[in-house]
Amino acid sequence: MQNEQQFISGLYARLDALRDRAEGSVRRSVTQVGTGRQAKLERDVHVLEETARLSQLNAVETGLCFGRIDFRNGETHHIGRIGMREDDAERTPLLIDWRAPVARPFYLATGFSPMELRRRRHLTTQGRTVTDLHDEIMDLGDATRTGYENRDADEVLLAALNTARTGRMTDIVQTIQAEQDRIIRAPHHGVLVVEGGPGTGKTAVALHRAAYLLYAHREQLARRAVLIVGPNPAFLGYIGEVLPSLGETGVLLATTGELFPGVVATGTDSPAAAAVKGAAAMADVLARVVRDRQTVPERVTEIHHEDHGALPLDRATAEDARAAARATGLPHNLARPHFAFRVIDALTGQLAERIGGDPYGGPNLLGPDDIAQLGKEIATSRAVHAAIDELWPDLTAQRLVGDFLADPLQLPEHEQALVRRGEGPWTPADVPLLDEAAELLGADDSATRATQEAARQEQVAYAQGVLDVSVGSKTYEFEDEESEVLAAHDIIDAERFAERHEEIDTRSAAERAAADRTWAFGHIVVDEAQELSAMAWRLLMRRCPSRSMTLLGDPAQTGDPAGCDSWEQILRPHVGDRWTLERLGVNYRTPAEIMEVAADLRRSVEPEFVPPRSVRSTGVAPLVRSVPAEELVTATAGLAGERRGEPADGGRLAVIAPPALLPGLSAGLPDASHGESPDLTRPTVLLTPRQAKGLEFDRVIVVDPDAVLDRSSRGVNDLYVALTRPTQWLGIVRNADHRPTS
């Protein structure tokens, strides 16, 4: 123990020295006064690099080192959240990054297949102090003993599983299991689907996979960023500390409702409305909406010319212009100039004929220059522009979708009332519609791009030279200098660098991606993927043209009416059969007694259902109380009071109930956090079944489960989710007066 404590203390001394060096370097760079553009750019690059390094060092402060592997050949390596070297980079690393290939035996070695290991050691720390050691003997022929051996190889795992929850997900880097490690290190390209029941560690595996991919493909993914999509804001808050604890701070976490820059989707839809908006058919509906905005006059539109009277724009001329614009295949706004050109050309021809035409059929008396001048007059006429705007308007996605939802005539009559909206806020189901509309419309920025292109090209070569200098000067101590450290060229490439001319864009790739609807991510992770609608999948596929994705979910937990029931239903329209399925079958969260109750529920609709195998048993069956409807709140509050103090070291209690009961329960549980984004770190939290997706708590009380079943066609799935959230204890408060809906 003492030797390990000395080693850990030495690591932290090194960490503090690196941190002090980075902080000092930033301070010196900021105070330096350089002359000229190059000096300023080089200073900004250096500050950007050092700030990124400092963020990584601060993020791994807790649990820096957690293991050691001793090989038969005498080699010994300590395993931690980052790699770390002495000043002399030629020496053996002080600490091996958990993602490095040499660290794999820590996760995969067994007594049957020891992978050349003699011993595997788990270190438990609190702050900077070693509190416990656990040794596993891998080479049974080695008689050396340390006194820290234990026959139970799962001791460290079980200790982690029984630890009281804090309201924030923690990493599992110390306890990754072999089946999880295989998925974490799976190849980068293509779509990987990870399916598993409640508590199988899907989310933890996905987050660690994101960290591993950023390690193994640093240069590519740090530039393009990784997007992690969660089901709701509460879930994103719950997982938000995992990647920073692993030294990765440049990942964008978002719900699908947050993926249209400039739109805050705070509204709510009825389940039926969300299902209509999320259906794949909405793509064709919106395409028709756009085409319906490309109109022609019923008869003739008279366009007044200041000197020569009215010019007629008839239906045939407008139809010809519309056909020519549509034939380009361009989005609506980008095709608009083609429509305008045809209209202007036709009106110019009329005007030229009126002024210079020979009534006896002879040649026009106007020359090319005269006709060109008439064309300029037509092109700058307010009346002409007004006519073009009426027939082929310049549209935004917000205007198009807003107008459509205000009067959704393109939908079947029985669906129109479901989705019709007034001036209320956008809803999460609206965001994929806005994104689809933006694709159909496009943005005509040709003039701006033409103005900027010459200056941009001039700057790119210069900026690339500055970044090349920064690559050559990298001197950080991480274990693998090519893949672990964020350098300037990882954060910003030459083109982005050059765009800002005098001012470097100091935003991370994730920050820039959040503000750019057309950003192409290097990899996307989607949790609770079965919940996303077909329209949401169209949005995400546009965000990742390479189709490099990790999808996590369980069709048995699908609750959203617009969600999908099979992976094939989700993926076939986008990737065909080019995807891989991995299944996780071990339940690390839910005790066997609770899982059996949840499994019985699933078997009521799926007789052959086989639940994931629980690794723990508490010996405590779920507690069920049945009370009259008017006593649901008081009974729940009483039960919550009984259980709030367990376990003795804290933990979290969740009360999960149908939405209709939340107002009464919040009054009866005044200390419980609730709302759209409840504080999960509070001792008690009040949630709906949908909000509880992906979360876990020490204790859970499910209120009026029969009402959950009756609420929607996917009520069984919602209740299955609610029942499988606890790690220790489950209580159920039933409504004795409940009558099933017909």
Side-chain angles (χ1 to χ4, degrees), residues 1-5 7-8 65-71 76-80 105-107 109 117-124 130 132-138 144-150 153 156 173-175:
M1 180 85 75
Q2 183 177 0
N3 290 340
E4 293 292 5
Q5 181 60 63
F7 177 80
I8 296 295
C65 175
F66 53 81
R68 192 181 88 182
I69 47 178
D70 300 346
F71 288 88
T76 295
H77 297 296
H78 281 83
I79 313 298
F106 183 78
Y107 300 108
L117 286 191
R118 182 172 60 86
R119 180 187 309 273
R120 172 169 52 204
R121 168 168 289 181
H122 296 267
L123 289 80
T124 303
V130 178
D132 196 13
L133 300 179
H134 173 74
D135 283 346
E136 294 179 65
I137 304 300
M138 313 305 293
T144 304
R145 295 293 181 266
T146 64
Y148 297 105
E149 291 82 10
N150 191 300
V156 176
V173 65
Q174 188 173 356
T175 58

Side-chain angles (χ1 to χ4, degrees), residues 4 97 140 175 189 219 223 247 379 394 501 520-521 660 682-683 718:
E4 293 292 5
D97 192 298
L140 299 181
T175 58
H189 297 291
E219 183 173 351
R223 290 178 178 178
D394 189 6
H501 300 278
F521 288 93
R682 295 275 292 275
D718 287 341

